[in-house]
Amino acid sequence: MSLYKSCLFLLFSLIDINVFASGDVNFTPSEATNQMNPALSSSAAGVVNSAVFKPFADSVFSLNLLSSFPEDLEISDYCVELLNIFGQRYVDYVKCLVPAARPVKVCQNCFSAYGILVDTYQNISSDQMGPGNVSCRDSLLRSDRLMLVYQLYSNLEDLWEKSNCDHCITATFQSLTNTTLYFMTVLNQTITCFDQYKERNHTELCKNCKNTYRGLNELYGRMEKNHTLCIDIEDAMNMTRKLWSKNFNCSFPREETVAVIAVSSFMLFLPIIFYLSSFLHSEQKKRKLIHPKRAKSYNSLMNIQDKLS
């Protein structure tokens, strides 16, 4: 500490000598205070002039330097444009998905936005060269460990596949398939019938809408066997069945139910039929066994009588 104080004293002595030697001694009140308190003045000057006090300007300058790379490492303007287009198409598709979450209509409402997104991603991931013989696949998809563009697209592609939207949409993302359109037509007819009678007695609804609802069920069963269902149709059918059975308390016997009841009834009465047939068969057999004996004894008696006569 004594060495530090000695150095400070020597330093300010030299400063005072230089100031007074220059002949310009015009002190402001703050400067006068600094002259009276040389230790405080030296501390403030040290803070202001130190490298620690000026990091902001240096850091801004450093960030500006870091944002500039050699031209051979920068992506081309064409790839930057593709990246911006992909981001816009990604946002458009997500904006479409969120309102279509409930009731589920992600296939029928958002297939157009998804098709546009697929086209944009294919332009990025293809080997085809763009303007200036530039390919954006490596620079946008494989240039870092995160591979953000690839991960974002993969998540939406996985969502599309889990929804089985390919079963309801044409291969070129132009429209719904004919089977899907027909199902939507029958579904609308069923819902219209429900709306027509729901304010009345539900018994009347069950009676008048039974054929339409049965036709919708049969159509859904055929589509399920043919693997032409997507999440939109599955959710719509579940909602319709809930309305029919829970809200309106309607039901109708299905053909398979009738068959099960018939087989169960037959199996229930089968032991009774078996024992009854066995009893009748045994009684008939007894009669057949006794009848010849009686006939033989009667003939023998007649012969004896003839001989006696």
Side-chain angles (χ1 to χ4, degrees):
M1 291 297 295
S2 59
L3 179 61
Y4 175 74
K5 290 181 180 180
S6 301
C7 292
L8 286 178
F9 178 76
L10 179 61
L11 177 61
F12 286 111
S13 299
L14 293 175
I15 293 174
D16 292 340
I17 293 172
N18 291 333
V19 169
F20 285 106
S22 62
D24 298 329
V25 187
N26 296 322
F27 293 111
T28 62
S30 61
E31 290 172 339
T33 303
N34 291 337
Q35 289 294 327
M36 294 175 62
N37 193 352
L40 177 63
S41 175
S42 62
S43 300
V47 171
V48 172
N49 295 324
S50 65
V52 179
F53 183 75
K54 297 185 295 182
F56 182 75
D58 294 339
S59 63
V60 173
F61 182 70
S62 301
L63 289 176
N64 290 334
L65 286 178
L66 289 175
S67 65
S68 178
F69 292 100
E71 293 183 359
D72 57 340
L73 297 179
E74 294 281 359
I75 62 175
S76 64
D77 294 338
Y78 171 71
C79 295
V80 172
E81 183 180 0
L82 271 183
L83 185 61
N84 292 332
I85 294 175
F86 175 82
Q88 184 61 46
R89 302 287 166 77
Y90 187 93
V91 171
D92 293 341
Y93 182 53
V94 173
K95 284 183 178 180
C96 180
L97 287 177
V98 174
R102 292 302 311 163
V104 182
K105 295 182 179 179
V106 296
C107 299
Q108 56 183 313
N109 287 1
C110 304
F111 68 88
S112 179
Y114 181 75
I116 297 174
L117 178 66
V118 170
D119 291 339
T120 305
Y121 183 80
Q122 288 177 350
N123 291 336
I124 295 176
S125 60
S126 65
D127 294 330
Q128 185 177 0
M129 296 296 180
N133 293 327
V134 175
S135 175
C136 302
R137 182 182 62 180
D138 294 335
S139 59
L140 296 182
L141 300 182
R142 304 177 181 177
S143 60
D144 55 78
R145 178 176 59 84
L146 184 59
M147 298 188 297
L148 181 60
V149 175
Y150 172 78
Q151 293 293 342
L152 291 174
Y153 178 78
S154 297
N155 291 335
L156 294 185
E157 185 181 34
D158 184 60
L159 180 65
W160 179 269
E161 292 177 355
K162 288 182 178 179
S163 302
N164 290 327
C165 290
D166 288 335
H167 296 168
C168 297
I169 310 299
T170 57
T172 56
F173 303 102
Q174 295 298 321
S175 64
L176 298 172
T177 61
N178 294 331
T179 305
T180 303
L181 291 173
Y182 180 66
F183 177 86
M184 294 299 177
T185 301
V186 179
L187 175 65
N188 290 334
Q189 293 175 356
T190 305
I191 299 300
T192 302
C193 186
F194 289 172
D195 293 338
Q196 184 178 356
Y197 295 99
K198 68 180 181 180
E199 301 298 336
R200 308 178 190 178
N201 190 354
H202 287 174
T203 304
E204 188 176 0
L205 183 147
C206 298
K207 179 180 177 181
N208 295 327
C209 301
K210 179 175 64 175
N211 293 332
T212 306
Y213 179 74
R214 178 184 283 114
L216 181 67
N217 265 293
E218 293 174 351
L219 176 60
Y220 183 85
R222 292 194 299 269
M223 295 179 66
E224 188 175 15
K225 292 180 180 179
N226 297 332
H227 303 287
T228 56
L229 294 179
C230 61
I231 188 62
D232 293 18
I233 295 178
E234 293 175 6
D235 184 72
M237 194 66 216
N238 290 336
M239 295 287 289
T240 307
R241 286 174 173 173
K242 184 178 180 180
L243 285 175
W244 175 262
S245 61
K246 185 176 181 180
N247 291 36
F248 304 138
N249 198 24
C250 298
S251 62
F252 60 89
R254 298 181 180 179
E255 295 179 358
E256 57 268 21
T257 306
V258 175
V260 170
I261 294 175
V263 173
S264 300
S265 301
F266 176 76
M267 296 298 294
L268 179 64
F269 288 101
L270 185 61
I272 300 174
I273 297 172
F274 173 76
Y275 286 113
L276 181 61
S277 61
S278 299
F279 176 76
L280 295 176
H281 182 70
S282 61
E283 288 294 328
Q284 184 179 6
K285 190 173 182 181
K286 286 180 181 180
R287 288 196 298 269
K288 287 183 179 180
L289 291 174
I290 294 173
H291 182 70
K293 291 181 180 180
R294 291 179 179 177
K296 184 177 181 180
S297 60
Y298 177 76
N299 292 332
S300 300
L301 181 61
M302 292 298 295
N303 293 331
I304 294 173
Q305 288 179 357
D306 291 338
K307 289 179 180 181
L308 291 177
S309 62

